[in-house]
Amino acid sequence: GNIGKRSTIVLPPLNEEIGEGYYLMSFEHEISENDKIARFLNRATFGATRAEIDNFPTSKLTTQSAAQWIQSQIDEPSTSHRAWFRKRLNARSTRPDIKFIPDHPCHIGSRWRRYTFSKKDGHQWWNTEGRTIRVSGDGPYVITFAGHARTTVETFPWKNEFPKITIDPSTEYSIACWDFPEEWIGGTWYMRAGPGMYCRPVLNPPIYFDTNTTQLANPVVPLPAVGSGGLEVIDQQKNESSGQEFILLNGLDHDICTQLPDIMYEEDPPVFGQTPDGMWLQFDPRYDVEENTAENPLRDGGGTRTLISNGLAQCSNVRRNVFNEHGCILSREPTTCKGTSDNLFILIGLNAENIVAIHEITGTYPYAVMNLPLGGDDNAPIVSPCIKGTKTRWEILPENECVQTDMDAQTYNVLSSVLRQTQDDNSFVRDIVFPSNGASCSADYADSLEEVSMILGNQCFKRVHPEHLSVFDLTLCTREENPCTLDLSNGDHPVKSPLDNDGNAFFDYQGQDNVFWDDQLSRLTKIGRLGDTIMFKDLPNNMRLAKVANRFNDKTSQGQSYVVVCGSRNEVANDPSLGDFGFEIIEHFQNVDINPAAHRESVFFMIALEARDQLRQLMAWQLSQLFAIVPLVLTGGWDHTENFLNYYDIFVRHGFGNFVNILREVTFNPLMAENLTFQDSKSGSYLFETTGSYTHADENYARELMQLFTIGVFLLNDDGTKMLNENGEPIPTFSNDEVMSFARVFTGFVQSQPRGNFEENDSSWNAIDELIVDPIYHDKFPKHDLTGGYIGDGYPLCVDLPSRTFLRKGAT
């Protein structure tokens, strides 16, 4: 123990018989100043480099020098992971898709190559339809792929160590055998003469044509000389192909450029170019990733891309929100895409014509379901419509199509009164809830009425199944595994056939004895009732597409009014000049030999190694461990990159900021909403009003927000120990009552409308833009807080303010 400044150490007794003894030795060690600096930097970065040690503010580590270094790190511009990824997003593209379009041969940054076949040519080796190779001539040979000439060779380039076969001009060959073509002159690719035939290795030939004997579909682009500052080598990192891939540093202004298509499709003939020394090159299209940042949004919201791609590429306009509104602009470009916030509230009538239109645009299968058995699939006992609180549905028919059910005057008057007084104005069906108080049917009929028809004036109200003429998305039932257990014995698919063959918007349940409708109901998305008017935002994700919005939007912004155009943080353009290496796009992994799941890791480690804002990056990593998400439980968690980097950027932005700002952005991020299941959570009142069911809001995020992200499970003292009550028990910070209350706060959070210009292969999904709070789904009742009050109580009421406060200077 301590005795003043001395210490006493109790040692075990010695065994003097065997010569044991103690020896007292002392050592002194002093580390160098560089070692002290290195130790400090190793704690504040991902690892100190010699340059960082040498550039430390002073040669000695002091409180002042450490503070100076920390301030310099705070002042260092932040390195966005999303922006780092997008700049290097230089994937091959042979067609426009929902998010991006290919670049143009004459534009700055276009890529060209000397070898004939790329990995993109072999990425569908199993699909030979329209993608076969033919070889014509008897020397020189013209090699064509997908019907277009690719090169000319004097002798066919078989690989020497394998037996050669005789080339037959009438035979269609395929790129086969699983291996992608090696991307350099002399690299190996494999050719198969047909099913069951051996794969033969072939050398990848250089591109060459004799234009006197070979007619090319597109005019030849005159390219500048290599090394002239206009066309430069870009594949220095590839040992085998170095000097065989090139980038156009300056755009071309040539008449031939106007003769080329704006966008290249996979089935289009390739574009070739020739340098002044006669070298032939093929245009190698890459994705054109445009800048659409919060500070500098695309002025037309991506409308031009949508037009030139014939509607394939989605608009890029981001919904205005608190995170991007500082950079939004008013645009009057003639091609401007409307903002997503405008589209959300487009009205769509659920009639047969519109149901067919949605099917034709989206390829989904929405139907008005009819002839469901009133008692359900198992013909369960039918509940009387006279039972208090019972919700029933009635189909509205002409008077002559049904017969009045026998009942006494009291029962008739009560039911007819309820049918007339309901505010339901649907012209096909009417939903009523029998009053819990007041009126009642007579005792003779209160429990016995089942199938009922009521004649009211010139209309008949016929009781039907609660989902009769409800419009459901039956796309799930079209899958090959037949998850809806449909009767497929008659040949035509019962779900596909009505819309595909007849343009019929009604699915007739009769004859589908194997369909257990009540069991399938929870798996199918209900859109509304035939005759209802819904908003665009109420459509399922797979129908909430820009094309659908355009179809039902009776307004047009082109040339008529200003449109609010907004961008997204760190949505920068790609930079084709950043060397040969480039990240790939989901489902298009033919350009790099890399596991797509490793994209995120590559970005993280490269920034950890190279970024100057090391302290910020270390803080971001530590914060990400607190607000962890599980990729494998999320949509696209295995192969998506950009949405995860966008989430990680929250912690980069706020590494030195306010914790409340982190909570705000995490809450509005789609990944966290899906991870903790509060996305699309609806209030109990909404569900009761629309379905008649009593359901609580999803509690997952509300619980984790308190338990994991903020206050923890127990109240703590300043020293971190648990506070105890009078019984010596830890005091909990919250109960399940607070969880249920806070869960109602996080209702109504839905995804923003899908858009283009970011990595995503699902046209109905948007895991980039911040969530929207839908006021219809959001809980509208007060929520109590942790201290016995209510959320929002801190704001003064108007009666609590001095008179005419709103007129005073500075009032907002």
Side-chain angles (χ1 to χ4, degrees), residues 492-782:
D492 289 339
H493 195 286
V495 171
K496 291 183 178 180
S497 180
L499 276 170
D500 288 347
N501 300 337
D502 306 321
N504 182 4
F506 296 89
F507 176 75
D508 193 340
Y509 184 85
Q510 286 184 346
Q512 293 299 324
D513 296 334
N514 293 329
V515 182
F516 300 98
W517 180 262
D518 295 331
D519 293 337
Q520 301 296 337
L521 193 59
S522 62
R523 306 175 63 191
L524 302 173
T525 302
K526 181 179 177 180
I527 303 172
R529 302 173 303 174
L530 186 73
D532 283 349
T533 298
I534 64 170
M535 285 185 265
F536 176 79
K537 65 182 179 62
D538 296 323
L539 289 172
N541 282 342
N542 56 351
M543 300 178 192
R544 208 165 58 238
L545 308 182
K547 289 183 179 180
V548 175
N550 293 336
R551 164 66 172 76
F552 294 103
N553 190 3
D554 59 358
K555 302 174 184 178
T556 174
S557 64
Q558 297 186 3
Q560 293 187 7
S561 61
Y562 287 102
V563 176
V564 177
V565 174
C566 303
S568 174
R569 287 172 294 189
N570 300 311
E571 195 165 303
V572 301
N574 60 340
D575 185 352
S577 68
L578 289 177
D580 172 72
F581 177 77
F583 291 110
E584 267 289 357
I585 300 289
I586 307 163
E587 291 189 349
H588 296 189
F589 299 103
Q590 296 85 38
N591 194 38
V592 290
D593 298 317
I594 186 172
N595 184 332
H599 281 5
R600 302 191 291 266
E601 297 174 4
S602 298
V603 174
F604 174 83
F605 284 115
M606 290 305 296
I607 291 178
L609 289 170
E610 297 181 347
R612 293 177 56 86
D613 57 331
Q614 285 283 303
L615 182 57
R616 180 187 294 274
Q617 295 298 328
L618 188 60
M619 287 293 297
W621 180 80
Q622 292 168 339
L623 287 167
S624 72
Q625 306 310 296
L626 173 61
F627 295 95
I629 55 177
V630 184
L632 292 183
V633 304
L634 302 179
T635 303
W638 178 75
D639 57 4
H640 285 54
T641 301
E642 188 171 354
N643 52 356
F644 287 93
L645 300 182
N646 182 60
Y647 177 75
Y648 192 89
D649 273 349
I650 295 173
F651 313 115
V652 175
R653 272 193 298 275
H654 301 294
F656 302 136
N658 190 303
F659 194 72
V660 172
N661 292 334
I662 295 177
L663 290 174
R664 180 182 294 110
E665 291 205 33
V666 166
T667 300
F668 278 90
N669 187 275
L671 297 189
M672 179 56 77
E674 186 182 6
N675 186 75
L676 290 182
T677 63
F678 69 95
Q679 179 174 298
D680 297 326
S681 176
K682 299 176 177 62
S683 68
S685 59
Y686 170 83
L687 292 173
F688 176 74
E689 291 166 1
T690 55
T691 68
S693 61
Y694 294 92
T695 307
H696 295 294
D698 188 286
E699 299 175 3
N700 201 357
Y701 185 65
R703 179 177 290 103
E704 304 299 353
L705 179 65
M706 293 185 284
Q707 180 172 327
L708 296 182
F709 299 161
T710 54
I711 59 177
V713 179
F714 299 108
L715 293 176
L716 302 178
N717 296 305
D718 290 342
D719 61 359
T721 59
K722 296 177 183 177
M723 287 187 181
L724 304 178
N725 60 20
E726 60 274 11
N727 298 322
E729 299 168 337
I731 304 174
T733 52
F734 61 90
S735 68
N736 201 56
D737 289 339
E738 282 75 39
V739 173
M740 295 178 67
S741 176
F742 284 14
R744 295 190 289 114
V745 173
F746 303 111
T747 52
F749 283 71
V750 298
Q751 278 194 2
S752 290
Q753 182 183 333
R755 63 176 183 88
N757 203 46
F758 64 86
E759 181 208 29
E760 178 55 69
N761 59 345
D762 186 342
S763 62
S764 64
W765 197 252
N766 183 348
I768 287 285
D769 296 332
E770 289 77 14
L771 298 172
I772 301 168
V773 179
D774 187 328
I776 295 178
Y777 298 154
H778 184 66
D779 189 282
K780 56 193 174 186
F781 296 105

Side-chain angles (χ1 to χ4, degrees), residues 63-77:
T63 302
Q64 291 75 17
S65 62
Q68 187 178 348
W69 180 86
I70 292 173
Q71 186 60 53
S72 69
Q73 285 289 294
I74 294 174
D75 296 338
E76 193 73 43

Side-chain angles (χ1 to χ4, degrees), residues 92 94 105 110-118 120-121 145 148-151 204-209 221 223 244-246 264 268-274 279-286:
R92 282 195 173 93
T94 56
S110 63
R111 301 278 284 272
W112 299 77
R113 68 170 192 258
R114 286 190 65 195
Y115 51 85
T116 299
F117 294 108
S118 72
K120 197 72 172 178
D121 296 321
F145 178 67
H148 304 298
R150 283 295 187 91
T151 191
N204 204 344
I207 298 169
Y208 174 78
F209 293 104
V221 178
L223 297 170
Q244 298 177 19
E245 296 180 10
F246 306 87
M264 301 289 295
D268 290 342
V271 174
F272 296 98
Q274 196 171 23
M279 180 173 64
W280 282 87
L281 302 175
Q282 180 179 331
F283 173 55
D284 200 358
R286 308 289 171 127

Side-chain angles (χ1 to χ4, degrees), residues 222-295:
L223 297 170
V226 177
S228 63
L231 189 69
E232 297 292 339
V233 174
I234 196 173
D235 60 344
Q236 298 94 331
Q237 304 302 319
K238 288 186 177 180
N239 295 331
E240 299 89 348
S241 68
S242 183
Q244 298 177 19
E245 296 180 10
F246 306 87
I247 182 171
L248 188 66
L249 297 181
N250 300 315
L252 297 177
D253 184 14
H254 196 283
D255 291 342
I256 287 178
C257 294
T258 62
Q259 303 174 35
L260 300 174
D262 290 328
I263 288 183
M264 301 289 295
Y265 290 81
E266 195 161 14
E267 60 272 17
D268 290 342
V271 174
F272 296 98
Q274 196 171 23
T275 61
D277 61 359
M279 180 173 64
W280 282 87
L281 302 175
Q282 180 179 331
F283 173 55
D284 200 358
R286 308 289 171 127
Y287 278 115
D288 183 14
V289 181
E290 296 188 283
E291 179 181 356
N292 186 39
T293 61
E295 296 76 22

